Amino acid sequence: MLVLLPPSEGKAPSGRGAPLKPESLSLPALADARQAVLDELVDLCVADEEKARVVLGLSEGLRGEVAKNTELRTAGARPAGEIYTGVLYDALDLATLDAAAKRRAARSLLVFSGLWGAVGITDRIPSYRCSMGVKLPGLGALGAYWRTPMASAMPDAAGDGLVLDLRSSAYTAAWKPKGEVADRTATVRVLHAQMVDGVEKRSVVSHFNKATKGRIVRSLLETGTQPKDPAELVEALRDLGHVVEGEAPTKAGKAWALDVVVREIH
């Protein structure tokens, strides 16, 4: 099973250890593309702080994030699972998993990134700021930029098992499963159901959507559940106590779209 995650907008500080070693990152086929983004991002932030702030879509209060990017080659690196923070990662809580679950996480979790394309949860990276929605002056929109290198790298990464795609829409732009990989891919949407005037209303609640996805991944890692395809995933999630709705797509080459329905927000 391969689980595709979005990164977090905010990130923990860089570590004090050795700096980034690009050659050590997962998906080595992305090395040249990563280097191109890294070079342009660092050069932009070094040359013109104000332009970089605008390009990165940062408010005045986040101007310090530009300075962070100028030091990407020399800043200490930490495992990606420690760098990414926020609601999903708080719910996933990698640090408190037992040893076996941590090994499963290292094998199965892949975090998409505007800067790196995608990294494994144990890959050591510095803290940075560069979302997939950024349009760099030289390389253009990163979602479009990553499509070609990701199209080459991701089928091998997906292997022959289930792909559980939990990415947000900005990050799906970089890679969309096709063909037989799509047939064994499942996307998940979390819906909050509540009664309004005697009628059940359903809506997407951003915070709880992220938290529920984090808890889903954690429960799969803790139990060692390894569904081989979307149909088995549906049964596995139901066994774990989730209300899951979804059917096989009517056409080949299309991912399954699953809804996890929740009635209590916490």
Side-chain angles (χ1 to χ4, degrees):
M1 179 174 64
L2 181 67
V3 181
L4 309 181
L5 298 175
S8 58
E9 198 68 26
K11 299 171 184 68
S14 295
R16 295 184 178 181
L20 171 72
K21 294 181 179 179
E23 69 277 6
S24 71
L25 299 180
S26 302
L27 305 182
L30 300 179
D32 290 344
R34 285 171 175 148
Q35 191 63 54
V37 179
L38 178 64
D39 287 346
E40 181 166 354
L41 180 62
V42 172
D43 290 348
L44 170 67
C45 292
V46 169
D48 190 331
E49 180 182 274
E50 179 59 20
K51 181 179 179 180
R53 184 184 71 79
V54 173
V55 168
L56 296 173
L58 301 175
S59 67
E60 184 64 36
L62 292 174
R63 183 179 289 272
E65 297 289 278
V66 176
K68 178 192 294 186
N69 284 347
T70 67
E71 300 174 349
L72 287 174
R73 296 190 184 97
T74 57
R78 299 168 63 182
E82 297 177 11
I83 289 291
Y84 296 118
T85 59
V87 176
L88 188 154
Y89 291 91
D90 287 346
L92 178 52
D93 200 5
L94 288 164
T96 62
L97 291 173
D98 64 30
K102 286 179 178 177
R103 289 193 294 271
R104 295 182 196 111
R107 292 194 300 267
S108 62
L109 304 189
L110 200 62
V111 184
F112 271 60
S113 161
L115 174 54
W116 313 115
V119 292
I121 210 75
T122 59
D123 288 352
R124 298 181 66 85
I125 58 174
S127 186
Y128 67 95
R129 192 67 173 236
C130 185
S131 72
M132 192 65 80
V134 165
K135 184 176 182 180
L136 291 175
L139 298 178
L142 290 176
Y145 169 80
W146 281 112
R147 284 175 198 154
T148 297
M150 295 299 284
S152 297
M154 283 304 299
D156 285 342
D160 58 4
L162 170 71
V163 178
L164 175 54
D165 189 353
L166 302 180
R167 295 173 296 165
S168 53
S169 58
Y171 290 87
T172 61
W175 180 67
K176 294 182 180 180
K178 296 181 179 179
E180 63 88 19
V181 178
D183 292 337
R184 49 189 168 85
T185 296
T187 64
V188 172
R189 180 176 63 165
V190 180
L191 297 178
H192 176 220
Q194 55 184 331
M195 298 302 293
V196 179
D197 297 328
V199 178
E200 184 177 86
K201 304 277 188 179
R202 294 181 176 183
S203 60
V204 176
V205 181
S206 178
H207 180 282
F208 194 54
N209 175 59
K210 295 174 183 176
T212 301
K213 287 179 177 178
R215 285 192 283 268
I216 285 172
V217 176
R218 182 180 177 90
S219 62
L220 292 172
L221 294 173
E222 285 181 320
T223 58
T225 305
Q226 290 286 333
K228 296 181 176 62
D229 56 41
E232 287 192 14
L233 174 66
V234 171
E235 294 307 311
L237 293 179
R238 287 173 177 166
D239 289 344
L240 290 168
H242 297 285
V243 177
V244 184
E245 298 176 355
E247 298 179 351
T250 57
K251 294 183 179 180
K254 298 288 186 181
W256 288 50
L258 307 181
D259 286 339
V260 174
V261 182
V262 297
R263 289 180 168 78
E264 295 183 5
I265 295 181
H266 57 88

